[in-house]
Amino acid sequence: MFTMKLNFINIPEFLTHPVLNSNTVVMYLALFMCLFLLLFFFMNKKPSCKVYLIDFVCYKPPASQKCSKPSVMKLAKQHGYLTEETEDFTRNLLERCGIGDSTYLAETFFKPSYKPLMKDSRREVEMAIFGSLDMLLGKTGVRADNIGILIVNCCIYNTEPSLSSMIVNRYKFRENIITYNIVGMGCSAGLLATGLAKRLLQVHHNSYALIVSTESITENCYVGKDRSKFLINCLFRVGGATILLSNRSSDQNNSKYELLHAIHDNTSSSDRSYNSIFREEDNAGITGVNINKDLLAAAIDTIKPNLITVGRLILPIQEKLAYQVTYITRKLLPSLNIQQYIPNYSKAVDHFLPHVGGKPVLDDLQKTLGLSDEVMEASRMTLYRYGNTSSSSIWYELAYVEAKGRVKEGDKVWHLSFGSGFKCSSVIWRAMKTIDHGDDNPWTDEIGQFPVTVEFGPFPIDFAPSS
Ligand SMILES: *[C@@H]1O[C@H](CO)[C@@H](O)[C@H](O)[C@H]1NC(C)=O
Ligand SMILES: *[C@@H]1O[C@H](CO)[C@@H](O)[C@H](O)[C@H]1NC(C)=O
Ligand SMILES: *[C@@H]1O[C@H](CO)[C@@H](O)[C@H](O)[C@H]1NC(C)=O
Ligand SMILES: *[C@@H]1O[C@H](CO)[C@@H](O)[C@H](O)[C@H]1NC(C)=O
Ligand SMILES: *[C@@H]1O[C@H](CO)[C@@H](O)[C@H](O)[C@H]1NC(C)=O
């Protein structure tokens, strides 16, 4: 049986040839080595998979929805949701949470009583999504039937049919469009969607990917008395952003940014992290989002590995060396008491844009990384002007630095967001040109008024004890 099979195998002649001498062997071996190396080289050569950000648009709600802090208090009282006991606490929280007097509330809060209907929530997201998407498609001139991938992320609000179907229906996107609708994944989901789009663009050549990040606050106002659920009411505001990505080489010249890295981390397997931001009913059965004392620890546990990976990818060699040397010395010779060197991330990125959401987290990050107030400006000003708009906040921050005329060709931009789960994502972009602010930038008419100085004071928050 075995010998019969052998007959079919074509043994190279030189191996069986009687006059096989050492020279020929060397020659053939060399030839094989060359072929093997070439093959190895081609197999390892990654296909070029550049992803470009053509443009993005942030939604600016109508001026009629602007609401100052005193007006927020007035509306809350008028709707009957503040008792004498919670009134002072809420005012105090509002004063110190870092938002200004021109953030936007949803339309429903301006009605005589707070009785949100499903259609009100739907209207809120439709205004944000269609408002920014109409502008984005108009601005970029991309035709709806060229869009091959659509990813929508919206954390707390969810409906049926999904928001992605709602968009496909309104713009009559093509039938074979790939759609994803990400819910419940917190404020970092916008960057998670960017990472997903990057992967999809590598398999579906020559397409456009559209990312829509938004949230609806209409039905998500907490109307109970549990203090640890109040923070969301104070910070959470209307907003949304749409982003167009492409991997067409023809878009190389008209894109704003190139995506360099997308890094995702999470600590959902740890109970402490998992429970730190939690949506649940209070004792009276009223739903709200609870933030407990473990938030800061969970954030640090999740953000740290993310920072380390980002550092490994982008920091210049001197910074990495300084870090490694002090790290090793500290391990080997603890008696020397050498301070751990903290790498200077400003040497590698020009614009640092962290999510506005957690003031205590940002303060800690600023202190640990030794970042200047100027570096944190875009984030603080976005919180002041637009509030916490969840996953779309980081796009208002990018619009801020663009409106300030700070983005120059070659600049590196670092989007960092974190949120419930606990999750943390970083995306690094490189500016492909020096960017002029357009009329569609939500900051354009008022950028001269910023930055403003905001006195925060200590954060008077009653976090719930950890569970
Ligand atoms: C887009 O991705 C595909 C698949 O990885 C790749 O073949 C193509 O070269 C990419 N286009 C650009 C402009 O990088
Ligand atoms: C992009 O611009 C460069 C120089 O301006 C040009 O050489 C190149 O052909 C352009 N690429 C495309 C795809 O238009
Ligand atoms: C969770 O973290 C791991 C790395 O720790 C990462 O590979 C994965 O993509 C993350 N998933 C999410 C949903 O963030
Ligand atoms: C970090 O690097 C930036 C840019 O090189 C520099 O302006 C800044 O002073 C440095 N910060 C520290 C703390 O050394
Ligand atoms: C910001 O808003 C999002 C809404 O999805 C919420 O999950 C997050 O906890 C908020 N951050 C803070 C600090 O309130």
Side-chain angles (χ1 to χ4, degrees), residues 185 192 264-266 423:
M185 290 183 88
L192 212 56
H264 311 290
D265 282 287
N266 52 81
K423 295 193 182 60

Side-chain angles (χ1 to χ4, degrees), residues 295-296 357-365 459 461 463:
L295 173 77
L296 196 58
K359 177 174 152 34
V361 178
L362 288 184
D363 289 348
D364 199 74
L365 202 66
F459 214 50
I461 180 161
F463 285 130

Side-chain angles (χ1 to χ4, degrees), residues 249-253:
S249 43
S250 54
D251 284 321
Q252 199 170 343
N253 283 354

Side-chain angles (χ1 to χ4, degrees), residues 10-18 20 28:
N10 226 341
I11 300 170
E13 206 183 314
F14 76 91
L15 286 179
T16 51
H17 202 277
L20 190 70
Y28 276 107

Side-chain angles (χ1 to χ4, degrees), residues 170-186:
R170 149 107 182 196
Y171 292 91
K172 307 296 173 218
F173 286 154
R174 65 194 201 204
E175 268 167 25
N176 64 352
I177 189 169
I178 298 160
T179 63
Y180 287 89
N181 195 78
I182 299 176
V183 294
M185 290 183 88

Side-chain angles (χ1 to χ4, degrees), residues 215-317:
E215 186 57 90
S216 166
I217 63 175
T218 297
E219 286 176 274
N220 295 317
C221 182
Y222 174 67
V223 295
K225 296 194 174 56
D226 189 349
R227 291 184 176 198
S228 57
K229 296 185 175 60
F230 265 67
L231 185 62
I232 297 283
N233 287 359
C234 290
L235 283 176
F236 205 8
R237 293 293 184 271
V238 174
T242 45
I243 301 106
L244 188 65
L245 302 178
S246 158
N247 109 320
R248 298 183 171 212
S249 43
S250 54
D251 284 321
Q252 199 170 343
N253 283 354
N254 52 19
S255 293
K256 278 185 167 176
Y257 301 93
E258 181 190 338
L259 198 166
L260 299 184
H261 307 287
I263 303 126
H264 311 290
D265 282 287
N266 52 81
T267 46
S268 314
S269 57
S270 137
D271 293 343
R272 186 170 75 163
S273 282
Y274 175 75
N275 290 311
S276 63
I277 302 182
F278 206 89
R279 189 159 185 249
E280 60 180 7
E281 287 97 9
D282 63 11
N283 294 335
I286 303 170
T287 311
V289 177
N290 202 54
I291 296 183
N292 80 20
K293 282 194 160 48
D294 290 332
L295 173 77
L296 196 58
I300 291 171
D301 286 351
T302 322
I303 295 175
K304 210 169 149 193
N306 201 268
L307 292 185
I308 291 176
T309 314
V310 170
R312 200 178 297 138
L313 289 167
I314 64 170
L315 282 175
I317 188 85

